Amino acid sequence: MSLTYLNPDAIKDGSISPSKIKGVYPEVNHGTSDTTFTLTPNTFHVWGQVASLTLNLGTETSDVANEYIFQFTSGPSATSLTLPSDIKWANDDVPTIEANMTYQVSILKGLACILEFNN
């Protein structure tokens, strides 16, 4: 097996698109808009502090894992997070979103996990 070194500057200067490299996810920063959105797979979507977030899962790409990943910040009032009803959480324990926290969520093959961080 041979490994090829990828110069990270090629991504920064635009000569290579991150979406063309396996294992590299482009990042889309939504700020505080687009709070009703259809996630594209294999892209890291980021929201700032939002009161509510309603997300659906977009069309999958063939022959890849199709991970839906996103991050958002819950402010002084807890963010209302709405995802498709068929998403399964570990131990069927739907998470409670708390105020003043930042969350990262990964959904792969309909199974979701969530990480919680203090703001």
Side-chain angles (χ1 to χ4, degrees), residues 48-51 72-79 98-101 119:
Q49 185 175 305
V50 291
F72 65 95
T73 299
S74 187
S77 296
T79 299
E98 302 290 337
N100 299 311
M101 302 295 278
N119 285 350

Side-chain angles (χ1 to χ4, degrees), residues 1-6:
M1 174 168 144
S2 106
L3 298 176
T4 303
Y5 173 73
L6 174 65

